[in-house]
Amino acid sequence: MASSESVPVASPGQAHRDAVEYVGFRVDAQAVVLNLSEHRRLSLERSLDLVNHSPSGFEWGYSGSGPAQLACALLLDYYDDEQFAREHYIAFRDQVVSQLECDGAAACWHLPGEEIDAAMATLTDDVVALADGGRPSPTLPENWRAVSRPDRRVFQRADRDHYIVLGEGSDEWLVVLCSQGDRAYPAPLAHQTVTEEADVERVIRELAEESNDLLEPLEGEH
């Protein structure tokens, strides 16, 4: 868990001098988000190149895959920094995007850039590392990364919303493959319990391969 002091107010070189504002509303029940200051629609495709939570579109007002996609897109658009967006979008979703509501006569929400800066300056971020945010492992498929966490070992799939969490017990390891999806807590997909003397790396590799068998890597991933 990173301390609040470690979270920058803005990505290096990306401080905004001009006012930036985003607005969200619905058209025929479809969520639409605009960069109001630049008179353009927020790009779903650009954020999907980084994280693939919700290919069907953005959402807000709760913690789930649609809001996670929107959080990533907002940070990417505002700071124009891929690694910064990857590392902080989950905490930004939980603190900001999950609280957005379309209310009032206009039935839309407004998010000024200064509110994004203020949130990033104060939140304590459980950093999520995807793709180049983690580190490759020679024992795992190429679309998996090892994530640095102080309390446990975590591996994250770069192209899908799958995780492998390794929990240490008194005399055994619990290795869990799970998926976040639209749920408040990760849903377990498979798990193995092994003794401390067992080949834990083999079990992690087996669960990563099981994930890849359940959902094949996206085109261009291996």
Side-chain angles (χ1 to χ4, degrees):
M1 186 75 69
S3 66
S4 59
E5 288 79 7
S6 66
V7 180
V9 173
S11 179
Q14 297 297 329
H16 287 258
R17 296 181 180 179
D18 299 326
V20 176
E21 184 173 10
Y22 299 93
V23 60
F25 52 93
R26 298 188 185 280
V27 177
D28 296 328
Q30 180 70 34
V32 176
V33 180
L34 304 178
N35 182 323
L36 197 60
S37 308
E38 299 181 8
H39 307 289
R40 59 177 173 79
R41 190 162 180 166
L42 189 65
S43 171
L44 172 65
E45 289 72 21
R46 187 185 181 196
S47 66
L48 286 172
D49 288 340
L50 298 188
V51 296
N52 191 303
H53 287 290
S54 180
S56 60
F58 299 132
E59 266 302 341
W60 54 75
Y62 63 99
S63 293
S65 59
Q69 199 70 53
L70 176 57
C72 180
L74 285 168
L75 292 183
L76 180 60
D77 189 79
Y78 186 64
Y79 293 116
D80 195 25
D81 186 317
E82 293 184 358
Q83 183 170 345
F84 186 82
R86 282 191 181 102
E87 291 178 350
H88 301 292
Y89 77 97
I90 289 295
F92 184 69
R93 176 198 67 179
D94 293 344
Q95 178 162 316
V96 177
V97 177
S98 65
Q99 306 303 310
L100 296 175
E101 295 181 351
C102 291
D103 53 14
C108 64
W109 52 260
H110 289 263
L111 181 63
E114 57 263 28
E115 290 188 15
I116 297 177
D117 286 332
M120 297 310 299
T122 59
L123 63 83
T124 299
D125 193 358
D126 185 10
V127 173
V128 172
L130 288 128
D132 61 359
R135 65 181 189 279
S137 170
T139 63
L140 293 178
E142 293 182 9
N143 61 317
W144 282 84
R145 299 291 184 269
V147 180
S148 298
R149 297 289 174 87
D151 57 340
R152 68 192 64 187
R153 292 175 66 187
V154 177
F155 303 87
Q156 189 163 12
R157 189 168 165 174
D159 59 320
R160 297 287 184 178
D161 187 18
H162 283 190
Y163 308 81
I164 295 173
V165 181
L166 183 63
E168 184 177 4
S170 57
D171 56 359
E172 63 185 16
W173 297 90
L174 177 62
V175 189
V176 182
L177 169 66
C178 55
S179 175
Q180 182 73 41
D182 289 318
R183 294 164 291 274
Y185 299 97
L189 302 175
H191 74 276
Q192 294 191 37
T193 302
V194 296
T195 64
E196 290 185 339
E197 293 75 23
D199 186 355
V200 178
E201 298 297 332
R202 176 187 58 80
V203 175
I204 294 171
R205 184 172 59 254
E206 288 177 354
L207 289 177
E209 291 170 351
E210 182 170 347
S211 166
N212 285 355
D213 289 340
L214 289 171
L215 290 170
E216 294 183 358
L218 297 176
E219 185 177 352
E221 298 285 351
H222 302 282

